[in-house]
Amino acid sequence: MKKLLVGTAVVAALAIGGCASAQSSPVSYADYIDGANAAHAKAKASNNVWKQKKMKKSYVDTYLSKAAEAKKKGDKAAAMKYAKKAYKSANAEVMQMDSWKGLKAGWEK
């Protein structure tokens, strides 16, 4: 009886957690591009854009241009791959910005 009760509780918890995490994930290429542009604009406004010194464009802009180039060539799989990378990078920029929002340098009072 205990095994049945524990098993039911685990299944219910997983079902609730799965529904909560799948609410607003993008599905199409346009959704990924729109989401990446929106998140990257938010990161740009706070001056939290990821790029290396030698790069002319940020990671998000690089991935977006590669996605557009692949879509222009007709390679839908590569276009979707780069769109997902741009979306992931842009959201990571925003997440980092939000997590560091209240922090101050140790020498500041």
Side-chain angles (χ1 to χ4, degrees):
M1 186 65 166
K2 286 183 183 179
K3 289 181 183 179
L4 179 64
L5 183 60
V6 170
T8 305
V10 169
V11 169
L14 290 175
I16 291 171
C19 292
S21 65
Q23 286 178 349
S24 64
S25 62
V27 179
S28 68
Y29 173 81
D31 292 342
Y32 279 106
I33 295 298
D34 292 340
N37 283 327
H40 191 58
K42 187 176 178 183
K44 276 184 182 178
S46 296
N47 200 21
N48 188 41
V49 177
W50 293 355
K51 77 177 200 180
Q52 295 179 3
K53 287 183 180 181
K54 294 182 180 181
M55 292 177 75
K56 294 180 181 177
K57 297 190 281 185
S58 67
Y59 285 103
V60 176
D61 292 332
T62 302
Y63 293 141
L64 288 173
S65 66
K66 286 183 179 182
E69 185 179 316
K71 187 171 183 174
K72 186 177 179 182
K73 289 181 181 178
D75 189 0
K76 291 181 182 179
M80 189 64 144
K81 178 180 107 174
Y82 288 120
K84 285 180 180 180
K85 283 186 175 189
Y87 180 80
K88 184 178 176 183
S89 297
N91 284 323
E93 288 174 343
V94 171
M95 218 171 19
Q96 180 186 41
M97 180 183 65
D98 289 342
S99 68
W100 290 1
K101 196 171 265 185
L103 295 178
K104 291 193 297 185
W107 59 85
E108 291 181 7
K109 290 186 181 183

